[in-house]
């Protein structure tokens, strides 16, 4: 009996250890996984009256593509725009407005996006700032999910930075594609397979919930706020 107890305990401890290692490995890799997953771009005329920085955080690139699309939309509206992964932003001098964005992972903003808010909170509070997030929790864009997502992923972050009062908050569906080679860790694959089952996805390997019309509409709203 004692031997059985010990064996059960060893099994439980092994599972806990493996889970802890997997979670640590996943959080230790909260950076753009490959060069293709981050986008750096600038657009707009040099003599534009306002310059905006879009600083986003991503692991697998979906957020980078949303940021790049919003950048293009704002340049079409006459702004000069820099789009960068948060970790590539060396300083924020000279910008008239900011858009800060993060993909949601494990019920939170990515660590580098949070570090960006902390580092530049004074500058962000002093200028017009908008924020957006994307994730599986916005797979359905309804009033109910919007309220729940705002409560879970926006309010806790903003409560840390009461001086930052966003001119607009974008809530977008995210994306994943498990058919991309060498892109996802085992932990991520397991999580996304579970997401696929829970959300009853027709194709469990990939989905794209990003609604480009919603994203373009939000970009136009932000542009109007920042004029
Ligand atoms: C390990 C893991 C955890 C995730 N956790 C969440 C979560 O807590 N909430 C959510 O809405 N989406 C979650 N997602 C989905 C991502 O937010 C979504 O796929 C997002 O678009 C990924 O952005 P990226 O491609 O820019 O990294 C998770 C995805 C993975 C792989």
């Amino acid at each position: 009996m004692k031997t059985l107890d010990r064996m059960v305990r060893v099994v439980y401890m092994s599972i806990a250890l493996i889970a802890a290692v997997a979670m640590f490995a996943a959080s230790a890799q909260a950076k753009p996984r490959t060069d293709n997953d981050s986008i750096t771009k600038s657009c707009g005329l040099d003599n534009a009256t306002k310059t905006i920085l879009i600083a986003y955080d991503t692991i697998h690139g979906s957020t980078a593509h949303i940021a790049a699309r919003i950048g293009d939309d704002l340049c079409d509206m006459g702004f000069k725009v820099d789009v960068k992964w948060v970790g590539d932003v060396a300083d924020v001098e000279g910008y008239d407005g900011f858009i800060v964005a993060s993909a949601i992972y494990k019920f939170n903003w990515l660590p580098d996006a949070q570090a960006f808010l902390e580092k530049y909170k004074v500058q962000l509070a002093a200028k017009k700032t908008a924020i957006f997030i994307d994730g599986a929790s916005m797979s359905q864009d309804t009033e109910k999910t919007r309220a729940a997502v705002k409560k879970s992923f926006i309010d806790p972050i903003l409560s840390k930075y009461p001086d930052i009062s966003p001119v607009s908050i974008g809530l977008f569906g995210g994306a994943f594609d498990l058919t991309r080679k060498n892109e996802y860790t085992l932990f991520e694959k397991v999580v996304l397979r579970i997401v696929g089952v829970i959300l009853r996805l027709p194709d469990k390997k990939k989905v794209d919930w990003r609604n480009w019309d919603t994203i373009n509409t939000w970009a136009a709203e932000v542009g109007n706020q920042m004029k």
Side-chain angles (χ1 to χ4, degrees), residues 120-207:
Y120 295 117
K121 59 189 172 200
V122 174
Q123 293 90 330
L124 296 174
K127 297 280 166 70
K128 287 186 177 174
T129 294
I131 59 177
F132 78 79
I133 56 110
D134 66 290
S137 39
M138 278 296 293
S139 58
Q140 286 189 349
D141 193 342
T142 63
E143 283 304 314
K144 207 172 156 194
T145 48
R146 281 184 166 269
V149 165
K150 184 176 172 295
K151 193 172 170 202
S152 300
F153 307 131
I154 301 291
D155 296 350
I157 284 285
L158 288 181
S159 69
K160 286 191 201 167
Y161 304 105
D163 293 337
I164 301 175
S165 135
V167 292
S168 188
I169 296 168
L171 307 175
F172 306 128
F176 65 82
D177 182 355
L178 295 179
T179 65
R180 291 172 69 196
K181 291 259 177 294
N182 305 322
E183 181 67 34
Y184 295 88
T185 61
L186 179 63
F187 173 76
E188 290 172 331
K189 283 181 190 163
V190 170
V191 168
L192 292 174
R193 281 298 187 144
I194 294 169
V195 168
V197 171
I198 292 173
L199 297 178
R200 295 187 185 161
L201 300 181
D203 180 350
K204 307 264 181 300
K205 286 191 176 161
K206 59 178 182 176
V207 68

Side-chain angles (χ1 to χ4, degrees), residues 57-64 103-108 134-138 153 174-176 184 187-188 191-192:
D57 205 358
T58 182
I59 297 181
H60 298 293
S62 323
T63 315
I104 299 298
Y105 278 86
K106 292 181 275 166
F107 308 103
N108 214 336
D134 66 290
S137 39
M138 278 296 293
F153 307 131
F176 65 82
Y184 295 88
F187 173 76
E188 290 172 331
V191 168
L192 292 174

